Amino acid sequence: MQTVKFGEISAVAFDIDGTLYRDFGFRIRVWPYIVAHCKFFIKYGKVRKQLREKDFYEDFNLAQAQMVAEAMGCSAEKAQAMLEKNVYIGLRKYYARLNACKGALKLICRLKDAGVKIAVLSDFPPEQKGDIWGIKEKCDLVLGSEQTGCLKPSPYVYKILEEKLETPAEKILYVGNHHRYDVEGSKKAGMKAAWIITPFMAVRKIKSTLADITFSKYSQLENILFEKN
């Protein structure tokens, strides 16, 4: 059995959006839909930022619906219906047309063969992406941070990830594309962090001073994690 060389990693957790797939193509495809519902999505975007200002909500869905209701000037019930229709159901078909990043599934399969636990942690319901391009069946844990009552970079969401994986934080590598939410959040929780950057950023040789690994291709991350002695 091959072993992971990087810092004795026992588990690797992945963000989904912009990490397991490149979000540039998604944004192009979804743009007409967003424009068609622009008033809602402008308000919704502001609400999501507000939701990140608090570490934990006893009832996340209720809190979100109430904030959207206030922003839209409607009842919480109507706001919840709009969230379901426009976000959770409305966006689902656009994810079905996406492909995972080249080499992502290959790396995950190799990590599983090496005895490493695999998880995904998304700020949106993972089930919105179906089988996550064949990755879901390889996962030991699939977690939506909305289900936990908190959004990244709340320390609680990473604590829940650690507890459910039954793995010490220092033995978990978190892979994400958003520096504040994914890198800063996981590092504050005591985990290792890998930051996936765009090809354009790679050409400019951008590198995080906080992340343990900065990479633009999954083949690069694979080479680092399975580095030969």
Side-chain angles (χ1 to χ4, degrees):
M1 179 184 292
Q2 294 177 316
T3 57
V4 177
K5 305 297 183 182
F6 182 76
E8 297 182 357
I9 294 297
S10 298
V12 179
F14 296 85
D15 169 52
I16 298 178
D17 301 293
T19 299
L20 289 177
Y21 72 90
R22 294 293 189 183
D23 56 5
F24 179 73
F26 172 75
R27 291 178 182 181
I28 292 175
R29 292 188 184 97
V30 81
W31 180 245
Y33 178 79
I34 299 297
V35 171
H37 302 83
C38 62
K39 180 181 178 181
F40 170 82
F41 278 105
I42 288 172
K43 301 291 186 182
Y44 175 67
K46 292 179 179 179
V47 166
R48 294 290 286 195
K49 289 182 180 180
Q50 293 173 2
L51 286 165
R52 295 185 195 278
E53 294 175 0
K54 185 177 177 180
D55 285 339
F56 180 77
Y57 295 89
E58 289 290 344
D59 189 329
F60 178 90
N61 289 328
L62 177 60
Q64 179 175 245
Q66 289 175 336
M67 288 184 186
V68 170
E70 183 177 352
M72 296 293 292
C74 65
S75 67
E77 291 77 13
K78 185 174 181 179
Q80 185 59 53
M82 285 191 290
L83 283 163
E84 190 68 23
K85 179 182 177 181
N86 295 340
V87 180
Y88 301 118
I89 295 176
L91 294 176
R92 187 176 297 168
K93 63 182 179 181
Y94 296 97
Y95 292 113
R97 298 170 59 189
L98 296 174
N99 295 313
C101 288
K102 182 179 179 180
L105 181 56
K106 177 177 177 288
L107 170 61
I108 288 169
C109 289
R110 192 173 178 187
L111 286 166
K112 285 289 291 183
D113 289 343
V116 176
K117 293 180 182 178
I118 300 296
V120 293
L121 168 64
S122 175
D123 273 341
F124 291 95
E127 58 269 20
Q128 192 179 38
K129 283 83 174 178
D131 70 349
I132 317 176
W133 312 287
I135 292 170
K136 185 176 181 179
E137 64 183 46
K138 306 294 182 183
C139 292
D140 299 278
L141 174 66
V142 176
L143 185 64
S145 57
E146 287 185 337
Q147 301 166 347
T148 68
C150 42
L151 298 178
K152 296 179 291 183
S154 168
Y156 291 100
V157 72
Y158 290 102
K159 184 64 177 177
I160 293 169
L161 176 66
E162 176 187 0
E163 290 175 351
K164 288 186 175 294
L165 280 173
E166 299 181 340
T167 304
E170 63 270 17
K171 290 187 176 293
I172 299 174
L173 173 68
Y174 192 79
V175 184
N177 71 309
H178 197 292
H179 200 273
R180 181 191 169 202
Y181 303 158
D182 299 320
V183 176
E184 294 180 23
S186 59
K187 290 296 290 184
K188 285 181 180 178
M191 299 177 183
K192 294 179 174 62
W195 186 34
I196 182 170
I197 59 176
T198 65
F200 178 70
M201 294 168 71
V203 169
R204 295 170 59 198
K205 298 183 179 179
I206 292 176
K207 186 176 182 179
S208 171
T209 57
L210 181 61
D212 300 277
I213 301 171
T214 300
F215 71 102
S216 62
K217 299 178 182 178
Y218 275 94
S219 58
Q220 296 170 341
L221 181 59
E222 181 179 358
N223 288 338
I224 293 170
L225 295 180
F226 291 93
E227 184 182 19
K228 295 180 180 180
N229 287 321

